[in-house]
Amino acid sequence: MQKVGIGVSVPRKESQDKVTGLAIYNTDYLSPKLLYAWLVTSLYAHAEIKSIDTSEAFKVVGVQAVITGDSYHLLCGPVIEDHPPLAKEKVRYFGEPLAVVIANSEAVAKEAAGKVIVEYNPLPVVNSLASALEEGASLVHKNLAFYKQVKPNEIFPKTGTNIAQHVKIRKGDLAEGWRQSEVIVEANFSLPQSNHIAMEPRNAIAEIKANGQVIIHASTQAPFDVRKILCHCFNLTDTQVIVNTPLVGGGFGGKTNVQLEIIAYLASRAVHGRAVKLIESREQDMTSSPGHLGLEARVKMGATKDGTMKALEITLEVDVGAYVDSGSQMIRAMAADCTGPYHIDHVWCDAYGVYTNHTYVTAFRGFGRLSYVFAIERTMDKLAFALGIDPLELRLKNALKSEDTTPTLVRLNKSSIGNLPACLTKIKSMMNWQEGIRRETGSNKVVAKGISCLWKTSSSPPDATSGAIITINADGTLNLNVGTVEIGSGSKTSLAQILAEKLSMDVNKIHVVMDVNTGISPSHWKTVASMTNFMVGNAVLDAAEDLVEQLRSIASIVLRCPPEVLEVGGGKVYLKEDPEIYIEINEIGNGYEYPEGNSIGGQVIGRGSFIMHHLIHMDKDTGKGRLGPAWTVGAQAVEVEFDTQNYTYKVLKAATVIDAGKVLNPKGARGTITGGMCMGLGYGSRESCLYSEGGERKNPQLRTYHLMRFGENPTYLVDFIETPLIVAPYGLRGIAEHGIIGIPAALANALSTAAQVELNQTPLTPETIWQAKRGKLDDSL
Amino acid sequence: MVNLVKMDLLELTVNGEKRLVMARPADTLLHVLREQLGLTGSKPSCKNGDCGACTVLIDGQPIKSCLMLAVEALGHEITTIEGLKDSPIQRAFIDKFAFQCGYCTSGFIMNCHALSVIHPDAGDETIREWLQSNLCRCTGYEEITEAIKTVLAQKAKDNNG
């Protein structure tokens, strides 16, 4: 019996479509009936809107409607409702949508958008965390106290300030921690906002039928959340809104946010429900839609002389930009994991979400860990050097293990935490760590290594759910229908592998429904948090068991035996003691007909579902709680060749060892990790949202905002540890985000060692290294 | 007042077929291929020549179709990803797992295909120079490197054998 299930490098189910140009993304939805929308966006970071004159725009032939924010009394937001979909009364960031032109073609809409005249009255710009937090700061939101909190036990704003969120961790007794510490180090860190840059720009299509049915087509990671938020904002019911999502051209968290769907809906409403397509330009995608958070961090860390960590005090100030969106949730997630994967008895963390007049932020690969990990892992190196202990050994000594507690006081076991020491030991040999972390290799060249650890839990809502449906075709193949979106992570293929394994079937005989339609797909929380294989995988296993039970029941009648003696596998239901006695599943999957015509059974439909359990909200005062079922841990390292004269450098190697629980698809898993590492190297070395003194975005396009390009990538070293997570399908752990998390820190550790200066900010360009070497941040010569 | 919008009837040669399209002088080739001919394999992403997702071949040379006007394509042979059938690079992209979300894939494949035809003996430096014009945000470029090298190695083998 041929079996291709888990542990095999199965090519993606949608491979053929993706190499022939036939794969359909939301941008590819074409129809002569479509109207097109174009956003009019703010030229100021903070200003009152004195007037918007749309009369000239209306004169352009082909314009159907122009809508502006003052027509709506509407505030949205997944956690706190602070966000008008189109700016009303004032603009709070450069690029903020304030009007929309709807026209017969995109060219006409764009032309007319240029004729919308907006008069502004500039306000003081909150252009940094420091200026947001200073006494008497200009307020980004004067009405903070009056905003409706959608999740009141998850957000704690400070009225009269720019602080939108404050999360506290209070573990142990910090004073006692300092008493026990013989060596204490401190450092400050600064990491800028950045962009997701999914290759498919964000876009949405909305249509409202005569009966009120709202049809959305969206490039989103969260079609069910789009439905929920539209229902919430516009008083619609679940049955009135259908969200369709085909293949998604990358997300990285940036397509969890619900923004364009709301604007497209308003646009459609303005043209009597006609279908309106709204695609952002690359520049709008980088300024009008949310990016990745910025962070300023202060860390104080203490240990005994033998390197046992005793105390940590960490302050995280997060630049969430003009609106909270899911920024508040990332702050909770960062605080909850604030120690890094190390055991520390005495921990104090204050994490703040701070409004500024920058583009607002949403989920980004790693959900905030990328940023705080940089601060923790740079401080770990500083502590190691202060103690005279090898940085890798210090991490090994303090690595979290079974029976330790997390900052939120979750007691760990082997299943929930995995095996970080094994990851560190493996990466040590992969990187030839024993040859030393700094060596001079010739004229002005130094080769240096840096290390970092990572850990991450899901930070999902306690009631997150998934479902799965399996049906059987006449040819004996199966259909698997799940609500997860294929954003590039290969989850549809992995889920087919899980089902193939469970039913001992060839994975090629399992068809996966690629597109999601909220009207017919089983629901799934969101395609985020590296949780798809865990959550949907469990639902698939549940559905498979339901299917098996039904097949055995029908087969027991046909084969004249009790169901208990039957087994399902290889597309057959067979007698355990004699597999030669069997019936093919396609003969009973849609009703079984006896020779004389009598029939039994009917369509067999396997139904499965999953819901998170035992997750607990964080306590407002201490942070005690549980945000996810388990953690994924890993170690990462970078080796650089550094030029001591001009401070240029080349990344030679980037390595990751992750405890994956179980590797489902080896080639797929490697690609997920290397892709994350590449993105991490980009963030560490070059990516940053640059704002002018007036808060205008200076690099909103790919010609000025640089990504890693072909050939700039280093040699990748990837390996896995497999410590099963016992509540997960086949023991797997999420790994989709993790490749990025520790890489900027490992890069900074390598470069700090190479340049012999503390590098505590990104991006690490030759210029910023030069500035650090000179001991100041100004660039005057 | 009558508003006359100037549209030209153009005859383009796309994937070996003569196709008639109506285009404004300002319409890019990318726009016309997608919106008029339904050839959506070429992807809009930056529309500024920075990412290469819209790469097509013009007389065999890779060109970013967002930077070319439809009228400029008159008299030239246009090949889009839809015109590539069972090419070695398409197979190699699947075998090597050289894509994830797939949105940049058409552009990368067209560029790789042209490279393998024009420079079948390309070394690392030439490969790098050519493929730096395309961006991929999902992979770390390792698998794309393997895919193009596999195709070039096979070509070398076929030529020598």
Side-chain angles (χ1 to χ4, degrees):
Chain A
M1 179 191 311
Q2 195 197 2
K3 191 187 91 173
V4 184
I6 63 167
V8 181
S9 293
V10 178
R12 289 164 184 282
K13 287 278 179 187
E14 73 282 14
S15 287
Q16 289 289 345
D17 282 348
K18 283 185 173 172
V19 300
T20 52
L22 301 179
I24 295 297
Y25 301 82
N26 207 57
T27 44
D28 300 329
Y29 182 93
L30 305 175
S31 167
K33 74 176 183 182
L34 286 176
L35 298 178
Y36 293 81
W38 195 264
L39 299 176
V40 180
T41 62
S42 170
L43 300 176
Y44 286 84
H46 200 194
E48 281 172 18
I49 302 169
K50 283 168 71 180
S51 65
I52 301 179
D53 180 357
T54 59
S55 56
E56 288 301 312
F58 264 114
K59 288 181 191 162
V60 179
V61 175
V63 169
Q64 298 278 351
V66 183
I67 57 174
T68 59
D70 43 326
S71 319
Y72 308 101
H73 298 286
L74 184 62
L75 287 171
C76 303
V79 183
I80 182 168
E81 293 182 343
D82 61 355
H83 192 173
L86 296 172
K88 188 182 169 78
E89 290 162 11
K90 74 171 186 171
V91 290
R92 294 186 175 87
Y93 66 95
F94 175 86
E96 179 167 8
L98 49 79
V100 183
V101 177
I102 302 112
N104 296 346
S105 74
E106 193 177 79
V108 170
K110 194 173 174 180
E111 183 193 341
K115 298 189 179 207
V116 173
I117 298 160
V118 185
E119 268 196 280
Y120 301 91
N121 183 22
L123 295 168
V125 178
V126 180
N127 203 13
S128 66
L129 283 161
S131 65
L133 293 170
E134 72 192 8
E135 197 74 29
S138 173
L139 293 182
V140 179
H141 291 267
K142 287 204 169 71
N143 294 330
L144 181 55
F146 306 106
Y147 290 147
K148 186 181 167 200
Q149 296 176 7
V150 184
K151 297 181 178 177
N153 50 4
E154 296 179 26
I155 183 148
F156 310 105
K158 274 192 183 172
T159 305
T161 74
N162 283 315
I163 295 173
Q165 170 73 308
H166 181 193
V167 178
K168 297 177 208 170
I169 298 290
R170 302 288 182 261
K171 177 189 177 187
D173 174 357
L174 196 61
E176 176 58 26
W178 297 134
R179 268 194 294 280
Q180 292 175 12
S181 299
E182 292 164 299
V183 175
I184 294 171
V185 293
E186 293 183 62
N188 298 337
F189 302 91
S190 175
L191 295 105
Q193 286 191 346
S194 66
N195 284 120
H196 300 81
I197 318 284
M199 294 312 292
E200 181 193 19
R202 282 170 273 207
N203 66 91
I205 300 163
E207 179 178 7
I208 307 164
K209 293 191 164 179
N211 64 1
Q213 180 95 61
V214 179
I215 312 285
I216 304 286
H217 291 260
S219 179
T220 177
Q221 295 173 247
F224 293 92
D225 213 39
V226 171
R227 179 176 74 180
K228 186 170 137 190
I229 286 177
L230 283 175
C231 288
H232 180 78
C233 288
F234 300 106
N235 269 328
L236 301 165
T237 62
D238 268 12
T239 50
Q240 277 179 291
V241 180
I242 291 178
V243 182
N244 298 277
T245 301
L247 294 172
V248 173
F252 314 113
K255 291 176 182 168
T256 59
N257 155 268
V258 182
Q259 179 194 28
L260 299 188
E261 296 85 354
I262 297 172
I263 297 176
Y265 170 78
L266 291 175
S268 175
R269 222 167 63 174
V271 291
H272 311 293
R274 291 175 68 181
V276 178
K277 185 175 188 178
L278 170 58
I279 306 181
E280 283 187 324
S281 68
R282 179 54 63 189
E283 291 76 7
Q284 289 168 343
D285 183 79
M286 293 175 73
T287 54
S288 303
S289 283
H292 165 53
L293 59 81
L295 173 71
E296 305 268 339
R298 295 188 293 278
V299 184
K300 185 177 173 188
M301 193 183 271
T304 57
K305 277 182 187 157
D306 71 347
T308 307
M309 293 168 73
K310 289 293 177 189
L312 173 74
E313 185 175 4
I314 178 167
T315 306
L316 304 169
E317 293 166 4
V318 174
D319 180 355
V320 299
Y323 301 104
V324 165
D325 198 72
S326 59
S328 56
Q329 309 304 84
M330 284 186 282
I331 290 157
R332 291 167 74 239
M334 291 160 82
D337 287 353
C338 68
T339 49
Y342 308 112
H343 178 68
I344 309 176
D345 280 330
H346 308 290
V347 180
W348 188 297
C349 171
D350 286 284
Y352 300 94
V354 183
Y355 284 127
T356 65
N357 291 122
H358 292 161
T359 298
Y360 72 110
V361 304
T362 194
F364 181 85
R365 194 175 201 164
F367 210 56
R369 275 73 168 196
L370 170 67
S371 306
Y372 91 83
V373 160
F374 185 91
I376 286 293
E377 293 293 332
R378 282 288 303 123
T379 313
M380 286 297 285
D381 260 32
K382 190 168 182 176
L383 180 65
F385 297 135
L387 289 162
I389 296 176
D390 178 89
L392 193 150
E393 296 301 328
L394 180 68
R395 287 166 170 89
L396 201 49
K397 187 177 178 72
N398 292 285
L400 276 169
K401 53 191 184 307
S402 195
E403 296 306 313
D404 288 341
T405 54
T406 71
T408 67
L409 301 182
V410 176
R411 187 162 294 282
L412 298 167
N413 57 44
K414 194 179 164 193
S415 165
S416 62
I417 192 60
N419 195 342
L420 180 59
C423 296
L424 279 162
T425 306
K426 194 164 249 184
I427 210 164
K428 187 176 171 180
S429 66
M430 274 164 80
M431 290 295 288
N432 274 329
W433 195 261
Q434 64 286 355
E435 75 182 353
I437 60 172
R438 186 180 197 277
R439 57 182 209 281
E440 297 185 359
T441 55
S443 53
N444 308 318
K445 293 279 197 260
V446 167
V447 171
K449 301 181 199 343
I451 182 110
S452 170
C453 291
L454 64 92
W455 73 322
K456 183 186 181 295
T457 190
S458 62
S459 313
S460 41
D463 61 348
T465 61
S466 303
I469 298 170
I470 306 166
T471 52
I472 301 174
N473 298 310
D475 63 358
T477 60
L478 303 184
N479 304 312
L480 174 60
N481 188 3
V482 291
T484 183
V485 174
E486 183 51 69
I487 61 172
S489 60
S491 58
K492 298 267 185 180
T493 307
S494 307
L495 293 166
Q497 289 180 257
I498 288 171
L499 182 57
E501 184 75 20
K502 175 76 181 174
L503 298 178
S504 299
M505 275 181 81
D506 181 349
V507 72
N508 295 314
K509 291 190 172 169
I510 295 170
H511 306 290
V512 190
V513 182
M514 275 298 155
D515 297 359
V516 173
N517 172 321
T518 57
I520 53 179
S521 305
S523 79
H524 174 49
W525 167 47
K526 299 175 189 178
T527 304
V528 296
S530 311
M531 288 305 283
T532 303
N533 288 343
F534 175 82
M535 291 180 62
V536 188
N538 271 324
V540 168
L541 290 180
D542 190 39
E545 274 165 27
D546 185 44
L547 187 87
V548 164
E549 198 178 315
Q550 293 176 54
L551 288 172
R552 285 162 72 192
S553 165
I554 299 164
S556 74
I557 299 167
V558 180
L559 298 175
R560 298 169 201 180
C561 61
E564 295 76 37
V565 302
L566 295 171
E567 196 98 4
V568 176
K572 294 170 183 166
V573 187
Y574 57 89
L575 225 54
K576 278 184 209 173
E577 74 254 34
D578 184 2
E580 292 303 310
I581 299 174
Y582 67 89
I583 185 160
E584 305 265 0
I585 58 169
N586 50 318
E587 289 183 66
I588 55 173
N590 292 285
Y592 175 79
E593 187 183 341
Y594 285 95
E596 67 275 26
N598 282 338
S599 297
I600 58 164
Q603 187 177 17
V604 175
I605 304 174
R607 309 144 301 172
S609 67
F610 174 77
I611 184 161
M612 289 286 192
H613 58 86
H614 294 95
L615 302 192
I616 299 162
H617 289 301
M618 289 169 77
D619 180 78
K620 181 179 186 298
D621 299 313
T622 65
K624 188 170 190 282
R626 183 169 193 141
L627 295 188
W631 283 261
T632 300
V633 294
Q636 299 193 288
V638 167
E639 184 175 284
V640 295
E641 184 186 62
F642 178 73
D643 187 314
T644 53
Q645 233 173 11
N646 61 20
Y647 302 152
T648 58
Y649 63 90
K650 185 170 190 267
V651 180
L652 303 176
K653 290 178 194 165
T656 298
V657 181
I658 281 203
D659 191 340
K662 176 73 192 171
V663 177
L664 292 193
N665 184 318
K667 272 192 185 176
R670 181 183 172 91
T672 299
I673 297 297
T674 56
M677 285 199 274
C678 187
M679 199 181 256
L681 289 171
Y683 183 67
S685 66
R686 65 200 70 184
E687 292 182 41
S688 143
C689 296
L690 298 174
Y691 292 98
S692 72
E693 276 179 27
E696 295 132 354
R697 181 67 190 277
K698 283 160 64 181
N699 59 345
Q701 55 172 213
L702 297 178
R703 196 159 299 180
T704 45
Y705 183 101
H706 297 290
L707 306 184
M708 290 282 286
R709 285 190 181 264
F710 184 95
E712 293 180 311
N713 50 297
T715 299
Y716 299 111
L717 308 170
V718 181
D719 211 338
F720 298 97
I721 302 292
E722 295 188 328
T723 310
L725 169 60
I726 57 177
V727 290
Y730 302 104
L732 68 87
R733 295 169 192 276
I735 58 165
E737 296 161 281
H738 303 68
I740 194 173
I741 295 174
I743 287 292
L747 176 68
N749 283 340
L751 286 169
S752 296
T753 295
Q756 295 177 308
V757 64
E758 282 187 35
L759 298 170
N760 291 345
Q761 59 176 24
T762 61
L764 292 159
T765 62
E767 187 180 342
T768 53
I769 298 169
W770 171 70
Q771 284 165 347
K773 284 293 270 188
R774 293 174 80 237
K776 46 184 158 179
L777 290 176
D778 76 278
D779 57 0
S780 54
L781 288 166
Chain B
M1 190 178 84
V2 180
N3 276 284
L4 290 174
V5 180
K6 186 169 158 45
M7 297 278 272
D8 289 315
L9 185 64
L10 308 178
E11 188 185 76
L12 299 180
T13 309
V14 185
N15 300 331
E17 296 174 17
K18 302 276 186 204
R19 302 293 303 267
L20 287 174
V21 298
M22 291 293 290
R24 298 179 310 136
D27 281 338
T28 61
L29 178 60
L30 173 65
H31 178 83
V32 168
L33 288 172
R34 289 174 56 81
E35 305 282 330
Q36 292 225 6
L37 300 180
L39 297 170
T40 55
S42 309
K43 297 299 184 207
S45 180
C46 72
K47 293 189 178 176
N48 196 43
D50 299 327
C51 76
C54 63
T55 304
V56 300
L57 306 186
I58 302 293
D59 302 329
Q61 293 281 348
I63 295 286
K64 290 163 178 171
S65 63
C66 74
L67 291 183
M68 187 175 201
L69 295 174
V71 291
E72 293 180 288
L74 282 174
H76 296 284
E77 295 273 344
I78 305 161
T79 311
T80 70
I81 183 79
E82 291 89 347
L84 220 56
K85 304 280 184 215
D86 301 323
S87 69
I89 192 68
Q90 287 168 300
R91 187 70 249 162
F93 261 61
I94 295 177
D95 291 344
K96 300 296 175 188
F97 283 55
F99 52 89
Q100 291 179 27
C101 85
Y103 200 80
C104 74
T105 308
S106 303
F108 257 109
I109 285 181
M110 295 314 284
N111 199 2
C112 287
H113 177 74
L115 172 63
S116 70
V117 171
I118 296 169
H119 294 294
D121 53 353
D124 287 357
E125 215 24 66
T126 306
I127 296 172
R128 180 184 160 111
E129 194 184 318
W130 273 59
L131 298 190
Q132 283 215 329
S133 66
N134 294 57
L135 282 171
C136 170
R137 189 61 157 166
C138 294
T139 76
Y141 299 109
E142 181 179 64
E143 302 90 340
I144 298 174
T145 311
E146 286 173 18
I148 182 66
K149 287 194 171 178
T150 303
V151 169
L152 293 174
Q154 188 59 44
K155 283 213 164 198
K157 207 169 141 193
D158 294 348
N159 290 342
N160 296 334

